[in-house]
Amino acid sequence: EVVAPPPITSLKGALVPRVFVSRRRRKVSIEVHRIASAGHQGGSYEECIVRVLNPNQKVREEQNKKRRNKKDEELLDQDIADDESTVAHPEMMDANTRNFAAPDGLDGWEEKYRFPIRYITVKGTNRTGIFVQITLGRMKQTRQLIFDSMAEAEEFRNVLEKEIRNEKDRNDAKLNVVFHGKSPPEADDITFLVEIVSGWDLPVGDLSTSDPYVIASFDGNDVHKTQVIEKTLDPIWTVKTGSLFLFRSKAEALYLSEGLLFTVKDYDALGRDEKLGMFYVAPKVVYEAKGERLEFKLIPTPGSKKKEVPGYVAIRIRRATGHDIVFMNEHVHKKKKTSLAESATQQLATAQLGGGGALRSYFRRQTRHIKDGDRDIKQYKVRPGPDPKREEETTWLSKEQIEAECQRESDHWLDVGNGRLGRLHVEILGCDELPNLDSGGRNKTDTFVALVYEDCVVKTDVVDDCLNPRWLPWSKRAAIFHIHHSSSQLFLGVFDFDQSVAPGDDHDLIGRVAVDLTNLRKDTMYVMVYDLYTTARISDRKKLGSITIRLRLEVEDDRAVLLSNLEPPPSFYVNVKTRKDHRVVQFTCSGKYDTSKYDIKFINSYIEEILSVQHASFYLSDAFMRLMLWRGTMPVRMLGTTYHFPIHSLAAFVSLTVVVERPELFPAWSFALFGWTMVATMDYRLHLPTPWLHCKHFLEHAFTLFYGSTPIAPYSIESHENAKEAIAFEEGWRKRITESEEAAAKEYEENLKAQEEYQREMDEIGDVSDISALNKNDGGISVDPFKSVLYPVQQNLQMVCKYLRRIRYVLIWEESYISFWVTAGCFLVSIIFLFVPWFFLIQWTARILVWALFGPWMKLVDIFYVSKLDDYTEEELMQQRLESRKKRRLATATALAEARIKREDAMKLKAMKAYYFGKYITRVPVLKEDRYVDTPCLESHALPFKPDPLPLSELAMQEAGYHRTRIPGQHLVGSMIPQIETVSFTEAPVGQALRRPNLVDKDIAGPESTTAAYAKIGSLVVC
């Protein structure tokens, strides 16, 4: 019998005086087992286990019945729950009895729990009783074991103490087998990083679902507990819900333990949480894990009447790195994020220069007049502030001085992002003719610009109270973006700064621009002017000023840029901390209107866009007329005169005459025709009057692919180049579209009138006795009640328009790199199909099918197979269906597992980015998704970029990143605890003084000369 004296402090932590608690006693069988266990790589060792067995329910009821007859209530065997009556942790519960033999000569006993003998200590004896203390983790309890005689008590005590003394030898033997006779590799504590990834198909804890959470335990101690995921059988734990924890242990202690125990429970607000299942992770698995995904099947918890439970749980384990430990310490103690994460989000800090408010605008002097001889010069106060190096000179400047200063190169740059294909240098120079979004008078628009590129976002300083703001070289206006994908767009959003901190107040959008970079050339300085619109996705838009930017592309490997488009474009997301910044990023990328929400004008715009596909017929009609009438398109210069050779007409004539004579060439001709159509479209664009609509040539891309660099040198584009021709072309194009739309509308009205007239005639002929059709009201009906019907229509139309836009942009070479690969692929397939004997394949395929399926031997198929299908019993047919279903499930199991893992990774990455950068997330498009493409205005211009020679010291400082602030992007790498990917922003190569020694100004003399610089370096080395 076991007597449990009431402890001073109960298991639940409440103080319970002994006088108020009765003694509890139970009949148990306590066994001490020595078990021979095999090592995982040969060898064997012994373990000693104390195992406790209880009488089963039937025996316990019979014993209590006898005791009640004797009126001995104190000796009644009380059926108390395990966690109330014993300190046994769930991992000690005896759920697996395969290593133990049944008790000899004892019937009616059932296994209860077990624990290693090292957890028990003999505290003393009292006649037939032995006092033992059981220590499991932080819990200690004392039990009195009462035997039938003093001899039995003494014998059990001797066995227990003997095995306790031998425990050290057993442990040494076990470690000797585990580590092959050597000392453990790590003598100190090993820190493991453990991630509870997800569970699926978990048991139902409530009516139809569960609220699961997981408790991780080691050596009797709970080491971690996740948060509850409500109402799901397929939970995914993230950093927000406690998926990660650190676990420390020595190698010896780990291998001497049972390993890690994970218990899955269902949270219940009322009553005790239900145990859904558990699983062990063996010490060897924990010790050798390297972060791979481990999946475990749940087993029933001790005391459960179920032999099996459904459900799986996935975890990851690896040795913790220094970054992991720092992260977890900060995460657990809710400290600030790492400095790297803080720097990654500092570009969106709201504390920008400028934006003083309405009251300050009224009392601040913004202009002044000075005399320069007889001239009266009007000067403006420089905003957001003067040059710190020339404060007196640059506090007040005239309009001409501001324009001259604005054209200088920026003093400081933000080095942003993690791409490796190249660099994009962007400077915001100014805006013109912006609307006033403030109260008026002296209080005018406080302008700033947000720049979004891939997973990076930066903002300029605020130029307050100005409708034609200019950002000067010393202000925050310049950024260097590292290119990750060559098709990425640069998004610019112009906003009116709102200083309010109210939750609903946003920075007002003035306009936005999507800058296409695919057709820009490297080593060219572009100064481009764009018109500003609030949206580019629906037709309801108007011009709201313009923005001027200066940008330049740096590309080291042209072939790598081209090859990057062979892979699907990555998905980029930007996380920010505040709702205000989230709206800035959202407006910059997508415009003013959120087309994911329901609005009838979005439906009308999508329908209008789909109907506008007829505009493509204008391209086709032009191309067809050029093709049929042999109009020249390719310029050829002969004898000092330029002729336009009809290359497309000649190619069409030759190819069609060959296909007519040899029809087997039709498949190859079809692909060649599509490729040639793409080339013709490219040629059409290259002959447009405005150079800003030109695209890169197919042959240029092909040369880059084979030789590694582009053959086209940077060239100039003059301001207003071919302006008259471009304006005339644009007006002619709009006129053509207008005339086409008017003709279509007129035809629609005539058809409608004819239909109404026909309907009237049918009404006169038909039955007019139906009074339900009389007095019909054709008045307007509110659209809102039909939202449930129209919103799915809007979503489908949005998807159709999205795909139509992507196809259109590829066909008209707006996506230059993708268009090249589509064209090249068509030509390659066409060449391959030239060598395929189509007639031979078709003829022999038909012969095989006819001879195999229509011959007289099909009668044998009927006799030996088809006729026997009817002889199957219902059970056999059901068995075949079950086997077929089983095969289908096995075939889809891999796909389901892959989809589940992708969903887990996406949720965990989203949660980690929210932890690092902020909870507000915005998707940044890579490929073009807008209905309207932003094209530079005619006043834009471009010049080949030639960097000025610099002294060695200044060039070395420039390549080392001087005057730059490094801000990493939001791209995370690694698993479990991903890190922010970092790219060195220094251009200086390892082992060399400079990356571009050809830019050193060797003619300069004095202390800045190259010789003087080398002398200084040499003196430092000698010292």
Side-chain angles (χ1 to χ4, degrees), residues 14-121:
L15 185 63
V16 182
R18 291 177 181 269
V19 69
F20 295 110
V21 182
S22 63
R23 296 167 62 88
R24 296 176 301 180
R25 59 171 54 191
R26 289 184 298 166
K27 275 280 188 182
V28 299
S29 172
I30 299 181
E31 306 170 356
V32 180
H33 292 263
R34 286 198 305 273
I35 309 166
S37 301
H40 62 277
Q41 291 183 349
S44 62
Y45 53 87
E46 281 189 352
E47 292 184 286
C48 192
I49 300 295
V50 176
R51 188 162 177 251
V52 180
L53 297 91
N54 278 0
N56 60 26
Q57 183 71 19
K58 183 178 179 180
V59 173
R60 188 161 53 245
E61 290 176 356
E62 291 177 356
Q63 292 176 349
N64 287 339
K65 186 177 180 179
K66 293 179 181 179
R67 287 169 179 170
R68 285 193 186 95
N69 294 335
K70 295 180 180 180
K71 298 183 180 182
D72 192 357
E73 297 292 334
E74 184 181 357
L75 297 178
L76 288 179
D77 192 4
Q78 301 169 17
D79 186 13
I80 305 172
D82 295 324
D83 52 358
E84 294 283 344
S85 63
T86 179
V87 296
H89 196 270
E91 73 175 78
M92 303 305 171
M93 294 298 180
D94 199 355
N96 187 353
T97 62
R98 57 188 175 87
N99 291 329
F100 303 99
D104 295 332
L106 294 175
D107 294 328
W109 294 89
E110 60 184 8
E111 296 81 9
K112 195 65 176 178
Y113 59 90
R114 61 184 170 83
F115 49 85
I117 199 170
R118 63 177 177 273
Y119 294 138
I120 192 169
T121 306

Side-chain angles (χ1 to χ4, degrees), residues 405-450:
E405 290 285 347
C406 183
Q407 298 301 319
R408 290 198 305 109
E409 185 179 359
S410 299
D411 296 338
H412 193 83
W413 296 76
L414 296 177
D415 196 279
V416 191
N418 304 308
R420 289 178 169 81
L421 289 179
R423 295 183 180 90
L424 173 64
H425 297 249
V426 185
E427 296 172 276
I428 306 299
L429 301 183
C431 296
D432 293 286
E433 300 179 1
L434 299 181
N436 188 9
L437 301 185
D438 286 339
S439 58
R442 288 189 176 183
N443 186 23
K444 300 177 182 178
T445 300
D446 304 325
T447 312
F448 73 91
V449 180

Side-chain angles (χ1 to χ4, degrees), residues 607-742:
I607 295 175
E608 177 189 347
E609 181 178 355
I610 293 174
L611 294 177
S612 68
V613 174
Q614 64 176 335
H615 297 167
S617 63
F618 302 151
Y619 285 100
L620 296 176
S621 62
D622 285 348
F624 184 76
M625 293 302 295
R626 288 188 181 187
L627 186 69
M628 294 297 296
L629 302 178
W630 284 69
R631 293 176 180 175
T633 55
M634 187 176 72
V636 178
R637 189 171 181 81
M638 297 177 60
L639 302 176
T641 305
T642 301
Y643 301 93
H644 288 84
F645 185 71
I647 183 66
H648 300 299
S649 301
L650 177 62
F653 175 72
V654 173
S655 63
L656 286 173
T657 54
V658 173
V659 170
V660 168
E661 300 298 330
R662 299 183 61 186
E664 68 271 14
L665 297 180
F666 180 78
W669 177 82
S670 301
F671 280 93
L673 175 64
F674 186 80
W676 196 265
T677 304
M678 293 288 295
V679 172
T681 307
M682 174 206 68
D683 185 68
Y684 176 82
R685 285 200 59 168
L686 289 173
H687 285 85
L688 293 176
T690 172
W692 298 107
L693 292 177
H694 293 177
C695 61
K696 294 180 180 178
H697 201 283
F698 174 82
L699 295 179
E700 178 185 351
H701 287 307
F703 187 92
T704 302
L705 180 62
F706 288 106
Y707 295 97
S709 62
T710 177
I712 307 298
Y715 55 84
S716 301
I717 300 176
E718 301 294 333
S719 179
H720 295 88
E721 184 173 323
N722 299 331
K724 293 182 179 179
E725 294 85 350
I727 294 173
F729 172 81
E730 185 69 22
E731 290 178 351
W733 183 259
R734 290 177 180 173
K735 181 180 178 181
R736 193 172 181 181
I737 292 176
T738 303
E739 291 175 353
S740 173
E741 291 177 346
E742 290 176 353

